[in-house]
Amino acid sequence: MKFYDTFIMTLLAIFCLMSCECTKVDCAIYFPEMYFRIVDMDDTIDLIFDEDGIYDPSAMRMFSVENDDTSFYQIAVDDRDIFTRRVLTFAMEPPEDRRIFLDFGNEDVDTLDVSFETVPEDQCCQAYQRLLSVHHNGLEIHNRDSPVFWTLRK
């Protein structure tokens, strides 16, 4: 009898898995990091890491201001081979729409307006926040490389 119960439970589990589309879904995971590089308008010179680069990442600061509260974000150099190039990264926690100021350390300050969207929970995945758009100095950036990698043009 025990074998029969186990057999029936196994068949039910297999049937459930076969009928559920969740086995074909990759649920997104929110990564609070945003990877970016800063290039010239022609996308030919990396303004930080190329020999002709004009910005020093150690002199750069990122921050947002809400009411009287200023939040600073740590900028780091990411040398991993994820994007086959060196990139900068910073983390946004919690993920929420905000204006971020990027101070290059030489009285040059840019703005990044970041927007998130909530992807609702469904039968397969929990709800999560996804980076929807980034505007650099008012112009929308279209990320061609990945959902977390952005190219800023100056």
Side-chain angles (χ1 to χ4, degrees), residues 83-147:
F83 304 108
T84 65
R85 60 178 75 96
R86 295 174 78 189
V87 296
L88 296 177
T89 182
F90 76 98
M92 292 180 288
E93 276 296 332
E96 56 189 29
D97 296 358
R98 66 183 78 186
R99 172 168 280 180
I100 297 172
F101 298 95
L102 176 56
D103 181 351
F104 291 92
N106 59 359
E107 298 183 20
D108 184 7
V109 179
D110 287 3
T111 59
L112 296 173
D113 293 305
V114 295
S115 297
F116 291 86
E117 70 175 343
T118 300
V119 177
E121 179 177 352
D122 62 19
Q123 66 182 13
C124 300
C125 302
Q126 295 180 349
Y128 64 94
Q129 293 292 106
R130 175 173 59 195
L131 188 57
L132 179 63
S133 68
V134 176
H135 287 78
H136 176 227
N137 294 334
L139 299 175
E140 185 171 9
I141 300 172
H142 299 281
N143 59 337
R144 294 181 297 266
D145 296 319
S146 88

Side-chain angles (χ1 to χ4, degrees), residues 16-17 19-27 122-125:
C16 180
L17 286 174
S19 65
C20 179
E21 292 298 314
C22 295
T23 57
K24 300 176 185 174
V25 173
D26 289 327
C27 294
D122 62 19
Q123 66 182 13
C124 300
C125 302

Side-chain angles (χ1 to χ4, degrees), residues 34-46 85 87 112 134-136 139-146 148-154:
M34 177 181 169
Y35 299 92
F36 66 100
R37 56 193 292 249
I38 301 168
V39 299
D40 67 341
M41 291 305 275
D42 298 323
D43 200 4
T44 56
I45 299 173
D46 186 311
R85 60 178 75 96
V87 296
L112 296 173
V134 176
H135 287 78
H136 176 227
L139 299 175
E140 185 171 9
I141 300 172
H142 299 281
N143 59 337
R144 294 181 297 266
D145 296 319
S146 88
V148 294
F149 181 76
W150 304 83
T151 299
L152 311 181
R153 289 177 175 76
K154 287 188 65 71

